[in-house]
Amino acid sequence: MKKDLRIKSHVFDDTKRAPNRAMLRAVGVTDEDFKKPMIGIASTWSEVTPCNIHIHDLAVKAKDGARQAGGVPMIFNTITVSDGISMGTSGMRYSLPSRDIIADSIETVVGAENLDGYVAIGGCDKNIPGCLISIARSDVPAVFVYGGTIAPGHRNGEKLDIVSVFEGVGKHNNGDISDDELHGIECLACPGSGSCGGMYTANTMATAVEALGMSLPGSSSNPAESTDKLADCYRAGETVYKLLEKGIYPKDIMTKEAFENAITVVMALGGSTNAVLHLLAIAHSAEVDVTIDDFNRIQKKVPHLADLKPSGKYVMEDLYNIGGVPAVMKLLLEAGYLHGDCLTVTGKTIAENLADAPSLQEGQEIIMPFDNPKRKDGPLIILKGNLAPSGAVAKVSGVKVNRHTGPARVYDTEDEATNAVINNEINEGDVLVIRQVGPKGGPGMPEMLSISAILVGKGLGEKVALLTDGRFSGGTHGLVVGHIAPEAQVGGPIGLLQEGDMVTIDSDLQEISMDVTEEVLEERRKNWKAKPLEKRGILGKYAHNVSCSSKGAVTDHF
């Protein structure tokens, strides 16, 4: 070990720290260990979701790697919640706040225990940005490891995933499939451990983190149940020690150019709308100036190449089989879309990491060539206008409708809107609006996958526009616009919208507007009142502290 290795755990060297050392001896730390760096393994293991049920085994592998490298590793846990399980219920309000709880809890343990570095292992949607927010705040070397994607389910020769079930509900309501068929899809969609299989939020954010340089090459596409994933974790434990030796810290890696790489890869792969929210939040914690305008700037020049679910045919495991995310990044780098000189956790640059990476498999049909992309520009678009002055996010991959104008059908709860869809009260051409579900108004900015999937299942995915100041799942596709800001709770224009107002969404012009004059809106403002904010518990704390979605819905302000 280098003599100049900077480790915080030297605070235990002083004779005054005998009581502190006594506590550590009880967990197995020896005299020799006190000379070594203490490496945390932040595990999100839990039995409440398939995304995380295998992560304890991965944490043990990371611990083995850190110990073999020369550190003193210690596993500690934080929470996880499952969006797929809470979707469409009041429990969904806890999803986004869990991101900040995860970040806060990891930061707390790393700081309180004077850890010298750590590996953070996350699976489900909010684990990944939660871990990265903590890494951005903590002034110690760190590596993120993704728990990995689930394998697809299979039924009658068709690949299934969790979105197949959500859309099956709509098909069932429409009379297109029977009770037995829906039950069959339900039972086979999730065959084991790992995060939802398409280019949904977990796989999107894992990919973004690899492009950001904060995870090892291949980590984002290596499946949950694979020897490659176990190797990821062992190497991550070793890597943290090497970062300590080299004096490389997260803010050395998480630069503006690195975030541009992350946004570029998300655009090329057709990632989740949640990437906008989470990358803004991670950048905020890293004190890097990233705004929603950066997404539109990059969107204009990066083509959408991947034929991945939810709008395409393939899942993450298919991408893994043809070379994975490194092969896609190599393709983008060679075409001049990535900053190759960005540093990564390997201690090498993006370009150096990709020099020996395999190219995409010959004959593959998942990643389109540049001369025949899925879309000539990126599928995540920031819309602005008098309905969303601070911005809104649309995902247009696979959507053939570039402009939609229709009457607003306004609901203040998801349940009311869902019942209207189920009862066939929403018609082709309508603009279905769900408001009062933003970061403060939800509180917690719940996702609207359940209702968006029902619309798709009923054949209305591109015939009815769905707007909300809440969020959408990475599994959502269709004519949807989320993150409308400012939200209704704080007096945003979406809160002034009335039944029958004509609303226009134009993805080519990147506009979202309502045909209501400023004079009429001003008159409506006089009669508008905010509903009382949640007061108790975590949702109350969140509602009173969270920022606008256009700022990443962050809870730390500076």
Side-chain angles (χ1 to χ4, degrees):
M1 185 174 68
K2 291 184 178 180
K3 291 182 180 178
D4 60 350
L5 195 66
R6 192 180 100 194
I7 59 175
K8 294 170 65 179
S9 50
H10 279 316
V11 300
F12 298 117
D13 292 350
D14 194 279
T15 54
K16 295 191 298 294
R17 300 291 175 242
N20 313 64
R21 293 195 296 273
M23 295 285 287
L24 286 165
R25 291 182 191 281
V27 299
V29 179
T30 66
D31 281 341
E32 190 61 29
D33 288 336
F34 281 115
K35 302 172 187 176
K36 303 173 183 178
M38 294 185 182
I39 308 295
I41 312 294
S43 168
T44 55
W45 171 80
S46 175
E47 293 182 332
V48 303
T49 170
C51 308
N52 297 65
I53 196 162
H54 63 305
I55 284 180
H56 180 70
D57 293 339
L58 301 185
V60 170
K61 277 291 181 184
K63 181 178 179 180
D64 291 344
R67 184 175 294 283
Q68 184 62 36
V72 180
M74 302 173 178
I75 297 174
F76 65 92
N77 280 76
T78 182
I79 67 159
T80 187
V81 299
S82 169
D83 290 4
I85 295 171
S86 63
M87 196 71 68
T89 75
S90 62
M92 190 66 215
R93 299 179 302 160
Y94 290 88
S95 168
L96 187 56
S98 78
R99 180 191 76 180
D100 294 71
I101 297 171
I102 292 164
D104 293 348
S105 61
I106 293 175
E107 178 192 350
T108 298
V109 174
V110 171
E113 299 295 315
N114 294 289
L115 298 179
D116 298 303
Y118 64 102
V119 176
I121 309 173
C124 205
D125 295 11
K126 305 309 168 298
N127 302 171
I128 303 168
C131 289
L132 265 292
I133 289 169
S134 78
I135 288 171
R137 292 177 187 165
S138 302
D139 187 28
V140 298
V143 177
F144 176 76
V145 182
Y146 177 40
T149 185
I150 194 172
H154 293 86
R155 183 174 184 270
N156 298 332
E158 179 187 0
K159 287 184 177 180
L160 302 175
D161 60 22
I162 189 62
V163 176
S164 307
V165 193
F166 279 107
E167 293 180 1
V169 174
K171 293 176 182 178
H172 179 266
N173 175 253
N174 221 34
D176 297 331
I177 62 174
S178 67
D179 290 352
D180 286 345
E181 287 175 297
L182 179 59
H183 185 256
I185 296 169
E186 173 191 333
C187 291
L188 296 172
C190 300
S193 58
S195 301
C196 299
M199 189 45 63
Y200 309 147
T201 301
N203 283 326
T204 296
M205 289 311 301
T207 299
V209 173
E210 181 170 334
L212 189 63
M214 288 306 303
S215 62
L216 294 169
S219 174
S220 62
S221 44
N222 291 337
E225 297 178 352
S226 69
T227 55
D228 283 343
K229 183 53 58 185
L230 293 172
D232 276 345
C233 295
Y234 187 90
R235 288 174 55 219
E238 294 179 315
T239 298
V240 172
Y241 190 90
K242 291 176 183 176
L243 289 173
L244 269 165
E245 286 186 315
K246 295 173 181 176
I248 297 174
Y249 290 79
K251 287 185 180 179
D252 297 325
I253 297 170
M254 298 165 74
T255 63
K256 179 66 178 273
E257 291 75 20
F259 278 97
E260 290 178 346
N261 283 345
I263 296 169
T264 295
V265 175
V266 167
M267 290 290 180
L269 291 178
S272 165
T273 52
N274 283 311
V276 178
L277 195 75
H278 296 323
L279 286 171
L280 287 173
I282 296 165
H284 178 81
S285 290
E287 300 181 90
V288 176
D289 182 22
V290 176
T291 71
I292 58 172
D293 294 329
D294 289 309
F295 285 83
N296 262 1
R297 175 172 57 83
I298 294 170
Q299 180 270 336
K300 288 179 173 66
K301 64 180 184 179
V302 177
H304 177 202
L305 301 176
D307 191 16
L308 293 167
K309 289 190 174 189
S311 59
K313 294 187 293 186
Y314 299 98
V315 295
M316 196 64 160
E317 186 177 80
D318 296 320
L319 182 60
Y320 164 77
N321 288 330
I322 63 162
V325 169
V328 176
M329 289 180 62
K330 186 171 187 175
L331 182 74
L332 291 168
L333 178 68
E334 290 171 346
Y337 287 101
L338 295 179
H339 301 288
D341 57 350
C342 286
L343 185 64
T344 74
V345 291
T346 64
K348 299 178 181 179
T349 65
I350 289 282
E352 289 170 333
N353 286 343
L354 296 176
D356 297 324
S359 298
L360 287 166
Q361 192 178 94
E362 286 287 332
Q364 61 84 28
E365 298 180 343
I366 301 170
I367 304 299
M368 302 295 106
F370 289 109
D371 59 1
N372 185 33
K374 294 285 289 182
R375 181 185 164 95
K376 63 180 177 56
D377 52 12
L380 295 181
I381 296 177
I382 306 300
L383 307 175
K384 290 187 178 181
N386 70 345
L387 187 52
S390 298
V393 184
K395 183 175 179 178
V396 296
S397 52
V399 177
K400 298 180 178 64
V401 179
N402 296 332
R403 182 183 173 89
H404 179 100
T405 298
R409 306 295 308 279
V410 184
Y411 298 90
D412 285 344
T413 71
E414 183 185 2
D415 282 346
E416 291 174 317
T418 301
N419 289 335
V421 173
I422 292 291
N423 294 330
N424 299 313
E425 297 169 9
I426 303 301
N427 305 309
E428 289 186 21
D430 284 347
V431 176
L432 180 57
V433 179
I434 306 174
R435 64 187 181 189
Q436 296 291 353
V437 290
K440 289 181 177 292
M445 208 179 175
E447 290 178 346
M448 304 290 138
L449 173 60
S450 181
I451 187 169
S452 66
I454 291 170
L455 285 168
V456 171
K458 289 173 72 70
L460 296 172
E462 294 191 31
K463 297 173 182 176
V464 170
L466 177 56
L467 274 55
T468 181
D469 52 6
R471 296 182 296 129
F472 288 106
S473 163
T476 294
H477 62 109
L479 191 55
V480 300
V481 181
H483 307 203
I484 291 178
E487 63 175 296
Q489 177 65 42
V490 300
I494 189 174
L496 306 177
L497 198 61
Q498 292 185 1
E499 188 82 8
D501 287 343
M502 297 302 289
V503 174
T504 296
I505 304 109
D506 192 315
S507 60
D508 290 338
L509 296 177
Q510 299 184 340
E511 292 180 356
I512 181 168
S513 60
M514 52 181 167
D515 189 16
V516 182
T517 66
E518 186 54 40
E519 290 76 19
V520 171
L521 289 176
E522 191 57 43
E523 204 55 40
R524 291 179 185 178
R525 282 190 188 96
K526 294 176 183 177
N527 299 314
W528 177 85
K529 289 184 180 179
K531 71 173 186 176
L533 281 180
E534 187 85 28
K535 293 180 179 179
R536 301 184 62 197
I538 184 60
L539 293 181
K541 294 172 187 173
Y542 189 81
H544 283 82
N545 285 287
V546 69
S547 75
C548 180
S549 60
S550 65
K551 303 289 186 183
V554 299
T555 53
D556 53 341
H557 302 280
F558 51 82

